[in-house]
Each structure stands twice: as C-alpha cells, then as structure tokens.
Amino acid sequence: MQDLSSFNSFGLHVHAQNLVRICSEADLKNCPSDHALILGRGSDILLTDDYEGTVLVNCISSLDIRHEGDRWIVRSGGGMELDSLIETLIARNIPGLENLSAIPGTVGAAPIQNVGAYGAEVGEHIVKIEYFDLDRRCFGSLSHDECEFGYRTSFFKKHPELRYFVTAVTFSLAEKFVSRLTYKGLAGEALDTPYKVREKVIALRRSKLPDPAQIGNAGSFFKNPEVSEDKAADLRRSWPDMPVYPQSDGTVKLAAGWLIDKAGCRGITHGRAGTWENQALVIVNRGGARPHEIVALAKYVQMEVMNTFGISLEPEVRIYGKTGEISWDQI
Ligand code: EPU
C-alpha cells in the first residue's frame, strides 16, 4: 500500500494499492491502466477512502518555448508545476499567465477545471492539450474549442468517464504585456510589469489563503453559485451588501465565501476540520483530520447556506472514493 498524504493537498492519510510516477510519454505505454486514477499534485481533490487501484502521478516536466510572429508558443509537460512554469516565463519576459501565480497544482491539471484567479482563467491561453487515453491506449489532442472551457469546467470535467492523462499543454501568449487589473485587489495599483502583477497576486493569495504546505486544504471547496437575476434581486433586498457578479448569459454569480461567512460559518471548527478565518470558502484540515471530518464539515456548511439563503452550493473539488470519482450527493 502507498501512502497518499503527500499526493493530496488536504494531507489526508489515505492509501492506494500502487503508485506509479509517469515521467515521459514512453512510460504511459507500459503503465497499468485498469482502474488507474490520474493525479497531478492532488491540489483540487478530496480522497474519501483508500483507493483500490493504481494511482498514476503526472511527472512529465518537459518545456519548449518558441517565438511565432508576435506570440510565444509554450508547450509544457503536464506534470510541471503551474507556478514554476509561470515563474520561468516571467523570468524570460514572457507575459500572460501572471494573474494565475501561486495557484497550487500542475499544468496538466489546470485545464481540467479551468483554474482561475484574479480576473484570469487558464483556458483563455490554451491552444492545444495532448493526452494519452488510458482506455483506448492511444495518444490524442484537443484544440482550444474542443476543450469547452467554462467557469471551473471543461470537456474533461464534463466527461468524467474518459480517462485522459494530459501529457502536454500548449499556450499561445501575446508578446506584448497587457495588464489585467479588473479584480478589486489589483485595481488602481501601479502594476506595469508581469513581475509586479505576479508579486502582488502572490501577496494577495498569502493574505487570504492558507498555504497547503502548512495547513491542508484544496483552495475553494465550493464553486461560486450562479443564480437567476430575480433570485439575486430578491436576496439583495434582505442583504444589500451581498456581492453580485452579473454574467453575460443573464445569470448572476454570487460569492460562495460571502454566503458561507454570512451564514455564520467562517472560521468554525468541527472535529479536526474547519473553514479558514480569512476566506470561508476554504475548508482546512486543522491537523490529523480524517476524510469523513472534512465531508461532515462541508455538508454542514452546505446546509447552513441552504437554510440561510436557499442556495445549494456545489463542490469545486473532485471527490474520489474506493474505486473512482463519486458525486457529492452519493456521500
Ligand atoms: N468574502 C467574504 N467572506 C469570506 C470570503 C469572501 O465576505 O469569508 C467576500 C469577499 O470580501 C469578496 C467576495 O466574497 O467580496 C469574493 O471573495 P474573493 O474575492 O476572495 O473571491 P472568491 O470568489 O471567494 C474566487 C476563486 C478563488 C480565487 C479568487 C480570486 C472560486 C470558487 N474561487 O474566490 O479560487 O483565488 O476568486 O480570484 O471561483 C480556487 O479555485 O481554489 C480559488 C482559491
């Protein structure tokens, strides 16, 4: 049995029958694929049980950077840390990904849920994803449009039955730096280089989010819910200071962290699980928590938000049990 505590950022002591590090495309051709679970660095998952199969850890860390016209074409191995890639690009004066600085996890995992922060989403810059299909045992690729990126979703998340191991991600980045400072913590700042944006984003993240190396967590546990304009207007009558983010499709996105906070669940502790004091949307392992304690805390938070606002929060993290992915409602 293999201990997975350093392969899930909650730091939960769960095990897998076997663990194989995949360091190249060649490794994939011979790897065991029956019931294999693919992991990057386990930054956005909750493991509820010991896994009855093999875990394949993505360690493919190649990097190829070329210049084409007025753009940089960057092809990164799926196992590279996203933040190491961003640091390398900024050191080489290649802008575009700086708003996504310090997000834990790998390049290969980032497009699965289209990670986003501080006004940017990774999918905006992706032109190609290469993968190995563990069931058909063949290589393939998806173009930007085929990835169907949306808010914390993609083709991969919409098709959990497909077991695609992401071998490489290709980004197309404009040579000229255009700052994106729409997020309120960045607006009004004199951030005129990618390096300055990166430094500011890192400082903002540190001020709000716990470092998984010190306190187990998987970032935002729930997605920000999208509701109708009517529902948002209705809630605003009772909660005039509730943040609202109108979307282009007419729906309104609400801040799950704010809802959890106002439902009285910021900084709470149940057993060895809790919500983070500076950002209620983050569920933390306060030390030695078992999976069921994280689940119980999350269910409690979900129920309090439902009772207070009539809104059902949906997990952002993916949840895996004994034999594979499980839906939140099944737990
Ligand atoms: N808020 C509270 N109390 C809280 C938390 C938030 O009142 O405990 C309020 C904030 O003051 C703000 C609003 O809620 O008015 C939104 O909070 P914040 O700006 O921190 O962002 P978020 O919507 O909670 C999202 C992402 C984060 C990302 C930040 C910054 C989701 C689910 N989460 O959080 O992503 O870092 O924006 O861009 O979309 C992640 O996905 O793991 C993650 C951390």
Side-chain angles (χ1 to χ4, degrees):
M1 293 291 264
Q2 294 277 341
D3 180 17
L4 296 179
S5 54
S6 53
F7 293 95
N8 75 98
S9 61
F10 268 118
L12 297 170
H13 284 278
V14 285
H15 297 85
Q17 264 167 16
N18 193 14
L19 184 140
V20 178
R21 285 180 175 76
I22 302 294
C23 299
S24 68
E25 295 188 353
D27 288 351
L28 282 164
K29 291 189 186 139
N30 310 313
C31 76
S33 61
D34 281 356
H35 309 296
L37 170 66
I38 306 165
L39 284 188
R41 294 297 169 274
S43 314
D44 205 39
I45 56 161
L46 173 62
L47 301 171
T48 61
D49 233 312
D50 288 339
Y51 187 68
E52 292 176 354
T54 300
V55 166
L56 302 178
V57 181
N58 195 337
C59 298
I60 303 177
S61 56
S62 52
L63 181 60
D64 175 60
I65 302 178
R66 33 194 188 96
H67 199 229
E68 240 181 56
D70 58 358
R71 304 189 76 80
W72 291 100
I73 307 300
V74 176
R75 181 177 179 273
S76 164
M80 180 174 283
E81 298 277 349
L82 178 64
D83 194 53
S84 306
L85 173 67
I86 298 173
E87 190 181 28
T88 304
L89 294 178
I90 290 178
R92 293 181 59 167
N93 223 0
I94 302 176
L97 299 180
E98 53 281 350
N99 290 47
L100 303 174
S101 291
I103 294 181
T106 56
V107 167
I112 307 296
Q113 64 135 336
N114 189 17
V115 302
Y118 305 108
E121 284 181 344
V122 75
E124 296 167 50
H125 307 279
I126 291 175
V127 288
K128 185 177 175 186
I129 295 187
E130 292 163 69
Y131 62 81
F132 181 73
D133 180 337
L134 289 172
D135 293 308
R136 292 187 178 165
R137 304 204 62 79
C138 61
F139 291 95
S141 69
L142 293 176
S143 66
H144 172 91
D145 288 349
E146 287 168 332
C147 288
E148 297 175 25
F149 292 118
Y151 169 61
R152 295 299 194 271
T153 191
S154 71
F155 172 84
F156 299 93
K157 217 166 160 181
K158 291 176 201 163
H159 296 279
E161 74 285 2
L162 297 175
R163 294 182 313 137
Y164 286 0
F165 187 106
V166 175
T167 52
V169 177
T170 304
F171 301 86
S172 171
L173 303 168
E175 184 182 61
K176 189 171 175 322
F177 169 59
V178 182
S179 65
R180 190 173 308 175
L181 307 175
T182 46
Y183 182 82
K184 70 178 183 328
L186 303 178
E189 299 269 338
L191 303 171
D192 53 1
T193 67
Y195 180 79
K196 287 186 196 167
V197 174
R198 173 173 168 77
E199 292 293 293
K200 180 70 193 176
V201 163
I202 292 174
L204 267 178
R205 284 190 77 88
R206 282 204 187 123
S207 69
K208 286 192 180 176
L209 302 170
D211 176 358
Q214 272 145 32
I215 295 159
N217 76 88
S220 301
F221 192 90
F222 296 102
K223 288 196 266 191
N224 284 334
E226 284 160 325
V227 300
S228 67
E229 260 175 19
D230 289 350
K231 172 82 184 167
D234 205 29
L235 285 170
R236 267 269 176 128
R237 278 189 276 280
S238 312
W239 306 86
D241 64 340
M242 180 181 77
V244 287
Y245 310 106
Q247 305 296 293
S248 51
D249 63 359
T251 62
V252 177
K253 203 189 270 179
L254 305 179
W258 186 94
L259 299 170
I260 296 168
D261 188 346
K262 293 297 175 282
C265 295
R266 177 159 59 84
I268 59 169
T269 301
H270 287 189
R272 289 166 289 187
T275 55
W276 189 236
E277 288 66 16
N278 296 335
Q279 167 51 288
L281 188 48
V282 179
I283 291 183
V284 293
N285 174 355
R286 298 219 186 268
R290 304 285 305 151
H292 71 268
E293 292 173 281
I294 304 284
V295 171
L297 191 275
K299 292 272 180 190
Y300 173 79
V301 165
Q302 192 184 30
M303 187 183 72
E304 289 299 292
V305 169
M306 174 53 86
N307 291 343
T308 312
F309 299 101
I311 288 175
S312 172
L313 293 180
E314 221 184 279
E316 194 227 62
V317 296
R318 292 180 85 170
I319 301 158
Y320 295 91
K322 275 187 200 327
T323 55
E325 186 158 17
I326 42 180
S327 86
W328 184 236
D329 303 330
Q330 275 177 273
I331 309 178

